[in-house]
Amino acid sequence: MPLRSTATSWGAVTRLFHWGMLLLIIGGISVGLYMTDLPMSPQKLRVYALHKSVGLTLLGLAVLRLLWRLGERRPAAAPMPAWQERAASATHVLLYGLMFAIPLSGWLFNSAAGFPLQWFHLVNLPALVAADPALKVLARTAHGFGVLLLVVISAVHAAAALKHHFIDRDRTLRAMLPLPGDSK
Amino acid sequence: MTLPGRPSILLTVLGSCALAAAPAVAAPLFTAVPAQSSLGFVGTQQGEKFTGAIRDFDARIEYAPDDLATSKLEVAIRLKSMDTKSPDRDQALATADWFDFARFPTATFRTIAIRATPGGPVGDADLTIKGHTKRVAFPFAWKAAAGGATLDARLTLDRLDFGLGAGDWADESMVGRKVDVVVHLTLAATPAKPAKP
């Protein structure tokens, strides 16, 4: 599989971004759902620290992914009705927006809560704002709704990919699958 | 060596009798002006410093630079007034793992002696937090001012000496052991000793 995308298939770097970030997002959401009800303990702070580190990683990857995408050609889309093309591109814009908005709202929430932010015990990141109880509630709500929206949009995105694969029988899904040997 | 309650009252009573017997030799009394005094600390959480302020404390200072023998510093600190700019952290600090406000609402600081050193006066003081008393050296800077004085000091404590965050919380990568305490007192000279009940 070539590193860069071709006229018919996504390159290895794009596929790695796609599937790698999917795994990290699933991990981040799982940890996020698990951690909030833990009783206060050092273990809770460690689990939160892990969640924040994963979120910061995703934010960094979103930046790199966007830059990479801007410099890449895109495989031609399979023929489809105009409304589907519009829906697909709206979905992609939303997904990219959420890749930024969710970790940033988490960072904002953490800052407004007056908590430290550390990336895997290695680097401390500054607070975006001073502690602010009202903003904390707002940012937390945005973070939660962002995740909810991401799950819904991702489900639409996945359903569309499966429809292309099993009903339209085109190579839309295969062009992105993380499998070698399918990159003609 | 925890001596809460009664013994300190006894000491105060004895002290008052001594002062009543020989008021002329006592160092003058000062009290802190709350609006211009601060008691703060700097801790570390997950590699990042945070500051805390304790708003509610009483400082009773008897001090004369040339009469250290009768000088003493006494501070009572109502821990509930602690604010670390994070309600979540403040809530955690109130629990039994940390300060246990319900059982130990007040921390006390009381000098046993004050000595002159080349770097300035140093108090040897008993600091009691959460029922743990530790003798600490308390170097401070004293500046006379119109109508009073200012006292500035900084000292470093090990939170584990006071049972703060023992057990699971002892992990330093989460919360650092060293805590810097920063004291700035603006003191007003008090003309007469307040009557003891």
Side-chain angles (χ1 to χ4, degrees), chain B residues 46-78:
Chain B
Q46 286 159 293
E48 188 169 309
K49 287 188 187 315
F50 68 92
T51 58
I54 299 174
R55 309 202 188 289
D56 186 7
F57 60 91
D58 289 329
R60 188 186 147 88
I61 310 291
E62 288 171 59
Y63 189 76
D66 52 2
D67 186 10
L68 296 183
T70 62
S71 295
K72 61 181 176 185
L73 319 177
E74 285 183 8
V75 186
I77 301 145
R78 251 88 59 194

PDB file of all heavy atoms in Angstrom, chain B residues 46-78:
ATOM      1  N   GLN B  46      -0.132  16.704  39.800  1.00  0.00           N
ATOM      2  CA  GLN B  46       0.178  16.201  38.460  1.00  0.00           C
ATOM      3  C   GLN B  46       1.158  17.114  37.746  1.00  0.00           C
ATOM      4  O   GLN B  46       0.957  17.515  36.610  1.00  0.00           O
ATOM      5  CB  GLN B  46      -1.110  16.030  37.657  1.00  0.00           C
ATOM      6  CG  GLN B  46      -1.896  14.816  38.126  1.00  0.00           C
ATOM      7  CD  GLN B  46      -3.348  14.888  37.733  1.00  0.00           C
ATOM      8  OE1 GLN B  46      -4.091  15.733  38.230  1.00  0.00           O
ATOM      9  NE2 GLN B  46      -3.768  14.018  36.853  1.00  0.00           N
ATOM     10  N   GLY B  47       2.237  17.432  38.456  1.00  0.00           N
ATOM     11  CA  GLY B  47       3.324  18.178  37.835  1.00  0.00           C
ATOM     12  C   GLY B  47       3.061  19.666  37.679  1.00  0.00           C
ATOM     13  O   GLY B  47       3.870  20.381  37.094  1.00  0.00           O
ATOM     14  N   GLU B  48       1.918  20.127  38.183  1.00  0.00           N
ATOM     15  CA  GLU B  48       1.599  21.543  37.996  1.00  0.00           C
ATOM     16  C   GLU B  48       1.361  22.206  39.347  1.00  0.00           C
ATOM     17  O   GLU B  48       0.696  21.643  40.215  1.00  0.00           O
ATOM     18  CB  GLU B  48       0.342  21.646  37.141  1.00  0.00           C
ATOM     19  CG  GLU B  48       0.006  23.052  36.715  1.00  0.00           C
ATOM     20  CD  GLU B  48      -1.091  23.027  35.661  1.00  0.00           C
ATOM     21  OE1 GLU B  48      -0.941  22.288  34.671  1.00  0.00           O
ATOM     22  OE2 GLU B  48      -2.094  23.714  35.839  1.00  0.00           O
ATOM     23  N   LYS B  49       1.922  23.386  39.510  1.00  0.00           N
ATOM     24  CA  LYS B  49       1.721  24.089  40.776  1.00  0.00           C
ATOM     25  C   LYS B  49       0.303  24.647  40.868  1.00  0.00           C
ATOM     26  O   LYS B  49      -0.268  25.061  39.868  1.00  0.00           O
ATOM     27  CB  LYS B  49       2.716  25.251  40.880  1.00  0.00           C
ATOM     28  CG  LYS B  49       4.144  24.796  41.144  1.00  0.00           C
ATOM     29  CD  LYS B  49       5.024  25.988  41.440  1.00  0.00           C
ATOM     30  CE  LYS B  49       6.494  25.605  41.540  1.00  0.00           C
ATOM     31  NZ  LYS B  49       6.752  24.404  42.339  1.00  0.00           N
ATOM     32  N   PHE B  50      -0.234  24.627  42.065  1.00  0.00           N
ATOM     33  CA  PHE B  50      -1.496  25.333  42.294  1.00  0.00           C
ATOM     34  C   PHE B  50      -1.356  26.105  43.595  1.00  0.00           C
ATOM     35  O   PHE B  50      -0.540  25.764  44.448  1.00  0.00           O
ATOM     36  CB  PHE B  50      -2.685  24.360  42.347  1.00  0.00           C
ATOM     37  CG  PHE B  50      -2.684  23.445  43.545  1.00  0.00           C
ATOM     38  CD1 PHE B  50      -3.347  23.803  44.717  1.00  0.00           C
ATOM     39  CD2 PHE B  50      -2.008  22.243  43.506  1.00  0.00           C
ATOM     40  CE1 PHE B  50      -3.346  22.950  45.817  1.00  0.00           C
ATOM     41  CE2 PHE B  50      -2.000  21.391  44.606  1.00  0.00           C
ATOM     42  CZ  PHE B  50      -2.666  21.745  45.760  1.00  0.00           C
ATOM     43  N   THR B  51      -2.138  27.160  43.711  1.00  0.00           N
ATOM     44  CA  THR B  51      -2.034  27.967  44.915  1.00  0.00           C
ATOM     45  C   THR B  51      -3.323  27.853  45.711  1.00  0.00           C
ATOM     46  O   THR B  51      -4.399  27.669  45.168  1.00  0.00           O
ATOM     47  CB  THR B  51      -1.803  29.454  44.565  1.00  0.00           C
ATOM     48  OG1 THR B  51      -2.874  29.884  43.745  1.00  0.00           O
ATOM     49  CG2 THR B  51      -0.488  29.658  43.856  1.00  0.00           C
ATOM     50  N   GLY B  52      -3.160  27.926  47.001  1.00  0.00           N
ATOM     51  CA  GLY B  52      -4.314  27.924  47.889  1.00  0.00           C
ATOM     52  C   GLY B  52      -4.236  29.130  48.796  1.00  0.00           C
ATOM     53  O   GLY B  52      -3.140  29.599  49.120  1.00  0.00           O
ATOM     54  N   ALA B  53      -5.380  29.633  49.178  1.00  0.00           N
ATOM     55  CA  ALA B  53      -5.431  30.749  50.114  1.00  0.00           C
ATOM     56  C   ALA B  53      -6.319  30.340  51.279  1.00  0.00           C
ATOM     57  O   ALA B  53      -7.335  29.678  51.080  1.00  0.00           O
ATOM     58  CB  ALA B  53      -6.001  31.988  49.429  1.00  0.00           C
ATOM     59  N   ILE B  54      -5.909  30.711  52.471  1.00  0.00           N
ATOM     60  CA  ILE B  54      -6.735  30.474  53.652  1.00  0.00           C
ATOM     61  C   ILE B  54      -7.119  31.841  54.191  1.00  0.00           C
ATOM     62  O   ILE B  54      -6.260  32.637  54.572  1.00  0.00           O
ATOM     63  CB  ILE B  54      -5.960  29.655  54.700  1.00  0.00           C
ATOM     64  CG1 ILE B  54      -5.582  28.294  54.108  1.00  0.00           C
ATOM     65  CG2 ILE B  54      -6.803  29.484  55.963  1.00  0.00           C
ATOM     66  CD1 ILE B  54      -4.704  27.459  54.998  1.00  0.00           C
ATOM     67  N   ARG B  55      -8.420  32.115  54.138  1.00  0.00           N
ATOM     68  CA  ARG B  55      -8.852  33.488  54.426  1.00  0.00           C
ATOM     69  C   ARG B  55      -9.107  33.718  55.909  1.00  0.00           C
ATOM     70  O   ARG B  55      -8.974  34.826  56.402  1.00  0.00           O
ATOM     71  CB  ARG B  55     -10.129  33.807  53.656  1.00  0.00           C
ATOM     72  CG  ARG B  55      -9.994  33.476  52.190  1.00  0.00           C
ATOM     73  CD  ARG B  55     -10.961  34.216  51.294  1.00  0.00           C
ATOM     74  NE  ARG B  55     -10.877  33.676  49.947  1.00  0.00           N
ATOM     75  CZ  ARG B  55      -9.839  33.866  49.144  1.00  0.00           C
ATOM     76  NH1 ARG B  55      -8.826  34.609  49.538  1.00  0.00           N
ATOM     77  NH2 ARG B  55      -9.802  33.324  47.940  1.00  0.00           N
ATOM     78  N   ASP B  56      -9.510  32.659  56.609  1.00  0.00           N
ATOM     79  CA  ASP B  56      -9.986  32.865  57.968  1.00  0.00           C
ATOM     80  C   ASP B  56      -8.944  32.382  58.984  1.00  0.00           C
ATOM     81  O   ASP B  56      -8.788  31.179  59.202  1.00  0.00           O
ATOM     82  CB  ASP B  56     -11.310  32.104  58.147  1.00  0.00           C
ATOM     83  CG  ASP B  56     -11.957  32.389  59.494  1.00  0.00           C
ATOM     84  OD1 ASP B  56     -11.452  33.267  60.214  1.00  0.00           O
ATOM     85  OD2 ASP B  56     -12.951  31.715  59.819  1.00  0.00           O
ATOM     86  N   PHE B  57      -8.217  33.312  59.538  1.00  0.00           N
ATOM     87  CA  PHE B  57      -7.241  32.949  60.562  1.00  0.00           C
ATOM     88  C   PHE B  57      -7.075  34.120  61.515  1.00  0.00           C
ATOM     89  O   PHE B  57      -7.355  35.268  61.179  1.00  0.00           O
ATOM     90  CB  PHE B  57      -5.897  32.572  59.931  1.00  0.00           C
ATOM     91  CG  PHE B  57      -5.262  33.663  59.127  1.00  0.00           C
ATOM     92  CD1 PHE B  57      -4.374  34.551  59.723  1.00  0.00           C
ATOM     93  CD2 PHE B  57      -5.549  33.825  57.779  1.00  0.00           C
ATOM     94  CE1 PHE B  57      -3.784  35.567  58.991  1.00  0.00           C
ATOM     95  CE2 PHE B  57      -4.975  34.844  57.038  1.00  0.00           C
ATOM     96  CZ  PHE B  57      -4.093  35.716  57.650  1.00  0.00           C
ATOM     97  N   ASP B  58      -6.656  33.807  62.716  1.00  0.00           N
ATOM     98  CA  ASP B  58      -6.375  34.845  63.711  1.00  0.00           C
ATOM     99  C   ASP B  58      -4.894  34.785  64.024  1.00  0.00           C
ATOM    100  O   ASP B  58      -4.378  33.715  64.357  1.00  0.00           O
ATOM    101  CB  ASP B  58      -7.137  34.563  65.017  1.00  0.00           C
ATOM    102  CG  ASP B  58      -8.624  34.800  64.846  1.00  0.00           C
ATOM    103  OD1 ASP B  58      -8.982  35.672  64.039  1.00  0.00           O
ATOM    104  OD2 ASP B  58      -9.410  34.102  65.506  1.00  0.00           O
ATOM    105  N   ALA B  59      -4.246  35.909  63.935  1.00  0.00           N
ATOM    106  CA  ALA B  59      -2.831  35.962  64.320  1.00  0.00           C
ATOM    107  C   ALA B  59      -2.712  36.846  65.551  1.00  0.00           C
ATOM    108  O   ALA B  59      -3.247  37.961  65.590  1.00  0.00           O
ATOM    109  CB  ALA B  59      -1.995  36.519  63.175  1.00  0.00           C
ATOM    110  N   ARG B  60      -2.077  36.328  66.549  1.00  0.00           N
ATOM    111  CA  ARG B  60      -1.840  37.092  67.764  1.00  0.00           C
ATOM    112  C   ARG B  60      -0.338  37.111  67.959  1.00  0.00           C
ATOM    113  O   ARG B  60       0.298  36.081  68.210  1.00  0.00           O
ATOM    114  CB  ARG B  60      -2.538  36.386  68.924  1.00  0.00           C
ATOM    115  CG  ARG B  60      -2.523  37.165  70.201  1.00  0.00           C
ATOM    116  CD  ARG B  60      -3.099  36.309  71.323  1.00  0.00           C
ATOM    117  NE  ARG B  60      -2.404  36.667  72.556  1.00  0.00           N
ATOM    118  CZ  ARG B  60      -2.794  37.649  73.361  1.00  0.00           C
ATOM    119  NH1 ARG B  60      -3.830  38.290  73.117  1.00  0.00           N
ATOM    120  NH2 ARG B  60      -2.124  37.978  74.436  1.00  0.00           N
ATOM    121  N   ILE B  61       0.210  38.266  67.774  1.00  0.00           N
ATOM    122  CA  ILE B  61       1.659  38.399  67.711  1.00  0.00           C
ATOM    123  C   ILE B  61       2.118  39.304  68.850  1.00  0.00           C
ATOM    124  O   ILE B  61       1.639  40.433  68.968  1.00  0.00           O
ATOM    125  CB  ILE B  61       2.083  39.060  66.359  1.00  0.00           C
ATOM    126  CG1 ILE B  61       1.405  38.355  65.172  1.00  0.00           C
ATOM    127  CG2 ILE B  61       3.592  39.112  66.230  1.00  0.00           C
ATOM    128  CD1 ILE B  61       1.868  36.979  64.883  1.00  0.00           C
ATOM    129  N   GLU B  62       3.014  38.791  69.645  1.00  0.00           N
ATOM    130  CA  GLU B  62       3.666  39.660  70.642  1.00  0.00           C
ATOM    131  C   GLU B  62       5.128  39.675  70.263  1.00  0.00           C
ATOM    132  O   GLU B  62       5.796  38.634  70.301  1.00  0.00           O
ATOM    133  CB  GLU B  62       3.473  39.083  72.047  1.00  0.00           C
ATOM    134  CG  GLU B  62       2.043  39.223  72.543  1.00  0.00           C
ATOM    135  CD  GLU B  62       1.839  38.441  73.830  1.00  0.00           C
ATOM    136  OE1 GLU B  62       2.553  38.728  74.801  1.00  0.00           O
ATOM    137  OE2 GLU B  62       0.993  37.542  73.834  1.00  0.00           O
ATOM    138  N   TYR B  63       5.586  40.848  69.845  1.00  0.00           N
ATOM    139  CA  TYR B  63       6.940  40.851  69.282  1.00  0.00           C
ATOM    140  C   TYR B  63       7.654  42.169  69.533  1.00  0.00           C
ATOM    141  O   TYR B  63       7.102  43.260  69.336  1.00  0.00           O
ATOM    142  CB  TYR B  63       6.870  40.582  67.773  1.00  0.00           C
ATOM    143  CG  TYR B  63       8.227  40.350  67.160  1.00  0.00           C
ATOM    144  CD1 TYR B  63       8.883  39.139  67.338  1.00  0.00           C
ATOM    145  CD2 TYR B  63       8.857  41.354  66.426  1.00  0.00           C
ATOM    146  CE1 TYR B  63      10.131  38.917  66.800  1.00  0.00           C
ATOM    147  CE2 TYR B  63      10.106  41.139  65.874  1.00  0.00           C
ATOM    148  CZ  TYR B  63      10.754  39.921  66.077  1.00  0.00           C
ATOM    149  OH  TYR B  63      11.987  39.714  65.547  1.00  0.00           O
ATOM    150  N   ALA B  64       8.874  42.046  69.984  1.00  0.00           N
ATOM    151  CA  ALA B  64       9.791  43.182  70.053  1.00  0.00           C
ATOM    152  C   ALA B  64      11.148  42.662  69.603  1.00  0.00           C
ATOM    153  O   ALA B  64      11.651  41.693  70.186  1.00  0.00           O
ATOM    154  CB  ALA B  64       9.868  43.731  71.472  1.00  0.00           C
ATOM    155  N   PRO B  65      11.716  43.260  68.559  1.00  0.00           N
ATOM    156  CA  PRO B  65      12.979  42.746  68.024  1.00  0.00           C
ATOM    157  C   PRO B  65      14.071  42.657  69.106  1.00  0.00           C
ATOM    158  O   PRO B  65      14.935  41.788  69.030  1.00  0.00           O
ATOM    159  CB  PRO B  65      13.353  43.767  66.951  1.00  0.00           C
ATOM    160  CG  PRO B  65      12.063  44.417  66.567  1.00  0.00           C
ATOM    161  CD  PRO B  65      11.211  44.413  67.804  1.00  0.00           C
ATOM    162  N   ASP B  66      13.992  43.544  70.096  1.00  0.00           N
ATOM    163  CA  ASP B  66      15.043  43.546  71.122  1.00  0.00           C
ATOM    164  C   ASP B  66      14.605  42.801  72.385  1.00  0.00           C
ATOM    165  O   ASP B  66      15.253  42.877  73.414  1.00  0.00           O
ATOM    166  CB  ASP B  66      15.446  44.993  71.463  1.00  0.00           C
ATOM    167  CG  ASP B  66      14.224  45.833  71.803  1.00  0.00           C
ATOM    168  OD1 ASP B  66      13.105  45.265  71.810  1.00  0.00           O
ATOM    169  OD2 ASP B  66      14.377  47.041  72.044  1.00  0.00           O
ATOM    170  N   ASP B  67      13.508  42.115  72.300  1.00  0.00           N
ATOM    171  CA  ASP B  67      13.048  41.351  73.468  1.00  0.00           C
ATOM    172  C   ASP B  67      12.418  40.042  72.992  1.00  0.00           C
ATOM    173  O   ASP B  67      11.225  39.804  73.142  1.00  0.00           O
ATOM    174  CB  ASP B  67      12.035  42.183  74.267  1.00  0.00           C
ATOM    175  CG  ASP B  67      11.641  41.478  75.571  1.00  0.00           C
ATOM    176  OD1 ASP B  67      12.292  40.463  75.920  1.00  0.00           O
ATOM    177  OD2 ASP B  67      10.686  41.938  76.213  1.00  0.00           O
ATOM    178  N   LEU B  68      13.279  39.209  72.411  1.00  0.00           N
ATOM    179  CA  LEU B  68      12.756  37.969  71.823  1.00  0.00           C
ATOM    180  C   LEU B  68      12.261  37.003  72.895  1.00  0.00           C
ATOM    181  O   LEU B  68      11.396  36.179  72.634  1.00  0.00           O
ATOM    182  CB  LEU B  68      13.850  37.296  70.973  1.00  0.00           C
ATOM    183  CG  LEU B  68      14.298  38.104  69.748  1.00  0.00           C
ATOM    184  CD1 LEU B  68      15.327  37.318  68.952  1.00  0.00           C
ATOM    185  CD2 LEU B  68      13.108  38.469  68.863  1.00  0.00           C
ATOM    186  N   ALA B  69      12.798  37.156  74.106  1.00  0.00           N
ATOM    187  CA  ALA B  69      12.431  36.208  75.166  1.00  0.00           C
ATOM    188  C   ALA B  69      10.935  36.258  75.470  1.00  0.00           C
ATOM    189  O   ALA B  69      10.325  35.236  75.776  1.00  0.00           O
ATOM    190  CB  ALA B  69      13.246  36.493  76.421  1.00  0.00           C
ATOM    191  N   THR B  70      10.348  37.447  75.376  1.00  0.00           N
ATOM    192  CA  THR B  70       8.909  37.538  75.669  1.00  0.00           C
ATOM    193  C   THR B  70       8.074  37.611  74.394  1.00  0.00           C
ATOM    194  O   THR B  70       6.872  37.809  74.450  1.00  0.00           O
ATOM    195  CB  THR B  70       8.588  38.780  76.522  1.00  0.00           C
ATOM    196  OG1 THR B  70       8.945  39.938  75.768  1.00  0.00           O
ATOM    197  CG2 THR B  70       9.364  38.761  77.824  1.00  0.00           C
ATOM    198  N   SER B  71       8.732  37.457  73.261  1.00  0.00           N
ATOM    199  CA  SER B  71       8.001  37.529  71.991  1.00  0.00           C
ATOM    200  C   SER B  71       7.413  36.172  71.661  1.00  0.00           C
ATOM    201  O   SER B  71       7.992  35.134  71.979  1.00  0.00           O
ATOM    202  CB  SER B  71       8.948  37.959  70.867  1.00  0.00           C
ATOM    203  OG  SER B  71       9.411  39.270  71.087  1.00  0.00           O
ATOM    204  N   LYS B  72       6.249  36.212  71.035  1.00  0.00           N
ATOM    205  CA  LYS B  72       5.697  34.939  70.556  1.00  0.00           C
ATOM    206  C   LYS B  72       4.686  35.189  69.442  1.00  0.00           C
ATOM    207  O   LYS B  72       4.070  36.248  69.339  1.00  0.00           O
ATOM    208  CB  LYS B  72       5.075  34.143  71.697  1.00  0.00           C
ATOM    209  CG  LYS B  72       3.935  34.818  72.394  1.00  0.00           C
ATOM    210  CD  LYS B  72       3.426  33.933  73.533  1.00  0.00           C
ATOM    211  CE  LYS B  72       2.341  34.647  74.287  1.00  0.00           C
ATOM    212  NZ  LYS B  72       1.885  33.920  75.460  1.00  0.00           N
ATOM    213  N   LEU B  73       4.567  34.184  68.619  1.00  0.00           N
ATOM    214  CA  LEU B  73       3.638  34.246  67.488  1.00  0.00           C
ATOM    215  C   LEU B  73       2.637  33.114  67.655  1.00  0.00           C
ATOM    216  O   LEU B  73       3.032  31.968  67.865  1.00  0.00           O
ATOM    217  CB  LEU B  73       4.382  34.049  66.154  1.00  0.00           C
ATOM    218  CG  LEU B  73       5.742  34.744  65.970  1.00  0.00           C
ATOM    219  CD1 LEU B  73       6.329  34.352  64.614  1.00  0.00           C
ATOM    220  CD2 LEU B  73       5.579  36.260  66.046  1.00  0.00           C
ATOM    221  N   GLU B  74       1.369  33.458  67.562  1.00  0.00           N
ATOM    222  CA  GLU B  74       0.335  32.432  67.662  1.00  0.00           C
ATOM    223  C   GLU B  74      -0.685  32.663  66.555  1.00  0.00           C
ATOM    224  O   GLU B  74      -1.194  33.767  66.403  1.00  0.00           O
ATOM    225  CB  GLU B  74      -0.396  32.513  69.011  1.00  0.00           C
ATOM    226  CG  GLU B  74       0.413  31.976  70.164  1.00  0.00           C
ATOM    227  CD  GLU B  74      -0.372  32.017  71.478  1.00  0.00           C
ATOM    228  OE1 GLU B  74      -1.575  32.309  71.453  1.00  0.00           O
ATOM    229  OE2 GLU B  74       0.262  31.760  72.509  1.00  0.00           O
ATOM    230  N   VAL B  75      -0.955  31.606  65.820  1.00  0.00           N
ATOM    231  CA  VAL B  75      -1.934  31.727  64.736  1.00  0.00           C
ATOM    232  C   VAL B  75      -2.900  30.548  64.821  1.00  0.00           C
ATOM    233  O   VAL B  75      -2.471  29.406  65.004  1.00  0.00           O
ATOM    234  CB  VAL B  75      -1.242  31.738  63.352  1.00  0.00           C
ATOM    235  CG1 VAL B  75      -2.255  32.016  62.253  1.00  0.00           C
ATOM    236  CG2 VAL B  75      -0.125  32.781  63.311  1.00  0.00           C
ATOM    237  N   ALA B  76      -4.172  30.863  64.744  1.00  0.00           N
ATOM    238  CA  ALA B  76      -5.202  29.813  64.654  1.00  0.00           C
ATOM    239  C   ALA B  76      -5.806  29.916  63.266  1.00  0.00           C
ATOM    240  O   ALA B  76      -6.204  30.993  62.812  1.00  0.00           O
ATOM    241  CB  ALA B  76      -6.269  30.020  65.720  1.00  0.00           C
ATOM    242  N   ILE B  77      -5.859  28.789  62.571  1.00  0.00           N
ATOM    243  CA  ILE B  77      -6.234  28.790  61.156  1.00  0.00           C
ATOM    244  C   ILE B  77      -7.484  27.944  60.966  1.00  0.00           C
ATOM    245  O   ILE B  77      -7.473  26.750  61.260  1.00  0.00           O
ATOM    246  CB  ILE B  77      -5.073  28.201  60.318  1.00  0.00           C
ATOM    247  CG1 ILE B  77      -3.802  29.036  60.535  1.00  0.00           C
ATOM    248  CG2 ILE B  77      -5.437  28.136  58.848  1.00  0.00           C
ATOM    249  CD1 ILE B  77      -2.535  28.215  60.509  1.00  0.00           C
ATOM    250  N   ARG B  78      -8.569  28.588  60.517  1.00  0.00           N
ATOM    251  CA  ARG B  78      -9.802  27.845  60.240  1.00  0.00           C
ATOM    252  C   ARG B  78      -9.698  27.291  58.824  1.00  0.00           C
ATOM    253  O   ARG B  78      -9.833  28.020  57.828  1.00  0.00           O
ATOM    254  CB  ARG B  78     -11.016  28.774  60.362  1.00  0.00           C
ATOM    255  CG  ARG B  78     -11.856  28.492  61.584  1.00  0.00           C
ATOM    256  CD  ARG B  78     -11.411  29.226  62.820  1.00  0.00           C
ATOM    257  NE  ARG B  78     -11.440  30.669  62.611  1.00  0.00           N
ATOM    258  CZ  ARG B  78     -10.847  31.534  63.441  1.00  0.00           C
ATOM    259  NH1 ARG B  78     -10.191  31.129  64.501  1.00  0.00           N
ATOM    260  NH2 ARG B  78     -10.899  32.825  63.180  1.00  0.00           N
TER     261      ARG B  78
END
